[in-house]
Amino acid sequence: MTGYWHKQVDQGRRFVLKIESGQPLLGKLVEFARSVSLRHAVVVSAVGSVRDVAFRGIKAGAKLPITPPRMHRHEVAGPLELVGLTGNIMPDGKGEPDCHLHVLAARSSGEVIGGHLFDATVFATCEIVLSELEGEGLERHLSKQGGIPTVFIQEG
Amino acid sequence: MTGYWHKQVDQGRRFVLKIESGQPLLGKLVEFARSVSLRHAVVVSAVGSVRDVAFRGIKAGAKLPITPPRMHRHEVAGPLELVGLTGNIMPDGKGEPDCHLHVLAARSSGEVIGGHLFDATVFATCEIVLSELEGEGLERHLSKQGGIPTVFIQEG
Amino acid sequence: MTGYWHKQVDQGRRFVLKIESGQPLLGKLVEFARSVSLRHAVVVSAVGSVRDVAFRGIKAGAKLPITPPRMHRHEVAGPLELVGLTGNIMPDGKGEPDCHLHVLAARSSGEVIGGHLFDATVFATCEIVLSELEGEGLERHLSKQGGIPTVFIQEG
C-alpha cells in the first residue's frame, strides 16, 4: 500500500484545436476527441475567453463522498478571460471519452474564479493544445468513496 | 461546419528556460524564441515570481469584438508568486514569434489575479518549460470578429 | 549577458499518477519520483481536490532576497478543488528529487487562492500527468540573490 497508483504511458499524437466563438467548450472537446478516436489525452494548454461558465466548488468543511448538497454550483455570465483549463480525457466504462476539467477564469476586476467545469461557451476564441497518452488500463469510473468519477489505473 | 478547427502537429524540441531576476518576461521569451528559431511552441509550465505585472480583463457584459473600451487594464506592483502562465507562441503574418499568454499571480493574501498578459518583470526567478510544435498552416492573425489576434489553422 | 539561461532537453518517460484520498500530495510525488528514478520532470497537469493546503505568498513591496519575514504563510482547511499545480522536479545538490510547485485551489465561493506550495492532503482524488525531461546540467540550488532554491542551468 503506497497511497498512489501509476502507469507509464507512451506519447501519442499532439493536436492544436481552436474552438470558435459561440461554441460549447466541453461539447466540442468531446466531439473532437470522438472524431479522431482520442481515448486518453491531457490538456497541455488552453487560452482564450469564455462566457456563461458553469462550475462547481466543494463546500468548506465537507466530508467524503462529494454529494450534491456538499457542492456549490456557480454560473457566471462574463465574458471572462480563460486563464487555465486543466485536466484529462479518459474513457468511461463504455469506452466513451470522458473529460475531467477544472477551469480558471478572470473577471474584469482581475479576480480569478474557478472550479470543476460543467460547461462554458467560447467568447472570442479558445486555443487548446492536447497530448495523446497511449496506454491500456486507464479508465474513469465512479469512486464510491469519493462520490465523483476518477481515473482507475490497472498497474503493471 | 463543426465549430472548431484542428491540426495534428509533431513534437519538436523541448526547452528549459530560466529568465533572470529583473528581466522582462515576455521580451525575453520572444528573444529566446527568435534565437533558437522557435516558430510554434506551447508553454508547458512556468513557475517563479513576478513584479510590475500588466494584464487585461474583459469587462462584464462586453460584446464582440473585444475593443479597448471593453477591456480593463491592470498594473500590479507586487511582487507576486507566478502561479500560472498559459499560452502559445505562433508566427504572426510576417513570420515573427507572437506570444498569446495568460498570467496567474498570487497576492500576499493568497488571492489569485490574472488575465491576458501585457508584460511582467521577473522578481526572484522564472523557470519555464517549452514544447515545440512542428507543423505548417498555423499562424496568428487579427480576428475581425473577435477583435483580437488568434490562431488560424489551415486544416488538412 | 542575455538575461536568461536555457537548455534543450529530450523527452523521457511519461506517467499518469493518481494519489489517493488522505495522502500527502508533495510527499507522495517525491516518493513516486524516487521509486522510478525520475530526476528531471515537469507537471503537465494535475486535477482533483485537496484539504489542509499550506502555501506561501510574497509580501507586497518585498525586496530580494525572499526571507521568511517577507513571506506570508497560509493554511486553508478546505476542502478545495485543485485547479492548478504548476512546477517541476529537479535534483538538488545531493541528487535527491526536489519539487518546486505552485498551487491553485478554488474555495466554495469560486474564489481562487494559491502560491508556493508547502504541502496539501489529497481530498477525493488527485490525477497527475508527469513528463520526464532528459538532460544533464540541470540542478536546483539555493540562490543567494533570490533567497530561494532555483534551477541552475549549465548551458552547452
Side-chain angles (χ1 to χ4, degrees), chain A residues 41-87:
Chain A
V42 61
V43 176
V44 177
S45 171
V47 69
S49 51
V50 286
R51 59 176 173 81
D52 301 315
V53 188
F55 61 95
R56 177 195 83 197
I58 307 167
K59 288 190 184 166
K63 304 222 173 300
L64 289 178
I66 305 175
T67 52
R70 292 169 176 168
M71 304 170 188
H72 192 103
R73 186 186 167 95
H74 299 272
E75 294 187 29
V76 183
L80 309 108
E81 297 280 359
L82 178 67
V83 283
L85 186 71
T86 297

Side-chain angles (χ1 to χ4, degrees), chain C residues 57-132:
Chain C
I58 306 167
K59 289 189 183 166
K63 304 221 173 300
L64 289 178
I66 304 175
T67 52
R70 292 170 175 167
M71 304 170 187
H72 193 104
R73 185 186 169 95
H74 299 271
E75 294 187 28
V76 182
L80 308 108
E81 297 280 0
L82 177 68
V83 283
L85 186 72
T86 297
N88 57 64
I89 302 173
M90 299 276 167
D92 65 15
K94 295 169 183 168
E96 290 296 307
D98 179 65
C99 292
H100 183 190
L101 293 173
H102 286 189
V103 68
L104 288 157
R107 291 184 190 274
S108 171
S109 64
E111 182 202 4
V112 172
I113 55 172
H116 178 99
L117 181 67
F118 290 126
D119 211 351
T121 301
V122 174
F123 182 58
T125 186
C126 182
E127 306 166 0
I128 300 176
V129 177
L130 286 170
S131 256
E132 187 179 25

Side-chain angles (χ1 to χ4, degrees), chain A residues 79 108, chain B residues 56-60 62-72:
Chain A
S108 171
Chain B
R56 178 194 81 197
I58 306 167
K59 288 189 184 166
K63 304 222 174 299
L64 289 178
I66 304 176
T67 52
R70 292 169 175 168
M71 304 170 187
H72 193 103

Side-chain angles (χ1 to χ4, degrees), chain A residues 1-9 11 42 56 58 61 64 74 86 88 100 102 112-114 131 140 150-151, chain C residues 13-18 20-21 23 28 32 45-48 78 81-82 106 108-110 112 123 125 127:
Chain A
M1 171 58 186
T2 57
Y4 60 82
W5 299 80
H6 80 280
K7 183 130 209 160
Q8 188 179 334
V9 291
Q11 167 77 43
V42 61
R56 177 195 83 197
I58 307 167
L64 289 178
H74 299 272
T86 297
N88 57 63
H100 183 189
H102 286 189
V112 173
I113 55 172
S131 255
R140 187 135 40 222
T150 185
V151 173
Chain C
R13 295 168 290 172
R14 188 158 268 218
F15 296 99
V16 177
L17 176 68
K18 179 187 161 188
E20 291 185 351
S21 176
Q23 300 291 337
K28 287 296 161 181
F32 170 71
S45 171
V47 68
E81 297 280 0
L82 177 68
S108 171
S109 64
V112 172
F123 182 58
T125 186
E127 306 166 0

Side-chain angles (χ1 to χ4, degrees), chain B residues 27-137:
Chain B
K28 288 296 160 180
L29 195 53
V30 169
E31 186 181 322
F32 169 72
R34 278 206 191 95
S35 76
V36 295
S37 303
L38 195 59
R39 284 173 54 80
H40 304 92
V42 61
V43 177
V44 177
S45 171
V47 69
S49 50
V50 286
R51 60 177 172 81
D52 300 314
V53 187
F55 62 95
R56 178 194 81 197
I58 306 167
K59 288 189 184 166
K63 304 222 174 299
L64 289 178
I66 304 176
T67 52
R70 292 169 175 168
M71 304 170 187
H72 193 103
R73 186 186 168 94
H74 299 271
E75 293 188 29
V76 183
L80 309 107
E81 298 281 359
L82 178 68
V83 284
L85 186 72
T86 297
N88 57 64
I89 301 174
M90 298 276 168
D92 65 16
K94 295 169 184 168
E96 290 297 306
D98 179 65
C99 291
H100 182 190
L101 293 173
H102 286 189
V103 67
L104 288 157
R107 291 184 191 275
S108 171
S109 64
E111 184 202 4
V112 173
I113 55 173
H116 178 98
L117 181 67
F118 290 126
D119 210 351
T121 302
V122 173
F123 182 58
T125 187
C126 182
E127 306 166 1
I128 301 177
V129 177
L130 286 169
S131 255
E132 187 180 25
L133 308 173
E134 292 187 330
E136 293 303 315

Side-chain angles (χ1 to χ4, degrees), chain A residues 11 13-21 23 28 31-32 35-36 44-49 78-84 104 106-112 123-125 127 129, chain B residues 1-9 11 14 42 56 58-64 66 72 74 86-88 100 102 104 112-116 131 133 140 145 148 150-151 153:
Chain A
Q11 167 77 43
R13 295 168 291 171
R14 186 159 270 218
F15 296 99
V16 177
L17 175 69
K18 179 187 160 188
I19 304 178
E20 291 184 350
S21 176
Q23 300 292 335
K28 287 295 161 180
E31 186 181 321
F32 169 71
S35 76
V36 295
V44 177
S45 171
V47 69
S49 51
L80 309 108
E81 297 280 359
L82 178 67
V83 283
L104 288 156
R107 291 184 190 275
S108 171
S109 65
E111 183 201 5
V112 173
F123 182 58
T125 186
E127 307 166 359
V129 177
Chain B
M1 172 58 184
T2 57
Y4 60 83
W5 299 79
H6 80 280
K7 183 129 208 160
Q8 188 178 334
V9 292
Q11 167 77 44
R14 186 158 272 216
V42 61
R56 178 194 81 197
I58 306 167
K59 288 189 184 166
K63 304 222 174 299
L64 289 178
I66 304 176
H72 193 103
H74 299 271
T86 297
N88 57 64
H100 182 190
H102 286 189
L104 288 157
V112 173
I113 55 173
H116 178 98
S131 255
L133 308 173
R140 186 134 40 219
Q145 184 203 3
I148 42 101
T150 184
V151 173
I153 300 176

Side-chain angles (χ1 to χ4, degrees), chain C residues 17-75:
Chain C
L17 176 68
K18 179 187 161 188
I19 304 179
E20 291 185 351
S21 176
Q23 300 291 337
L25 202 164
L26 204 58
K28 287 296 161 181
L29 194 53
V30 169
E31 185 181 322
F32 170 71
R34 278 207 191 94
S35 76
V36 294
S37 304
L38 196 59
R39 284 173 55 79
H40 304 92
V42 62
V43 176
V44 177
S45 171
V47 68
S49 51
V50 286
R51 60 176 172 81
D52 301 314
V53 187
F55 61 95
R56 178 194 81 196
I58 306 167
K59 289 189 183 166
K63 304 221 173 300
L64 289 178
I66 304 175
T67 52
R70 292 170 175 167
M71 304 170 187
H72 193 104
R73 185 186 169 95
H74 299 271
E75 294 187 28

Side-chain angles (χ1 to χ4, degrees), chain A residues 84-119:
Chain A
L85 186 71
T86 297
N88 57 63
I89 301 173
M90 298 275 168
D92 65 15
K94 294 169 184 168
E96 290 297 307
D98 180 64
C99 291
H100 183 189
L101 293 173
H102 286 189
V103 67
L104 288 156
R107 291 184 190 275
S108 171
S109 65
E111 183 201 5
V112 173
I113 55 172
H116 179 99
L117 180 68
F118 290 126
D119 211 350

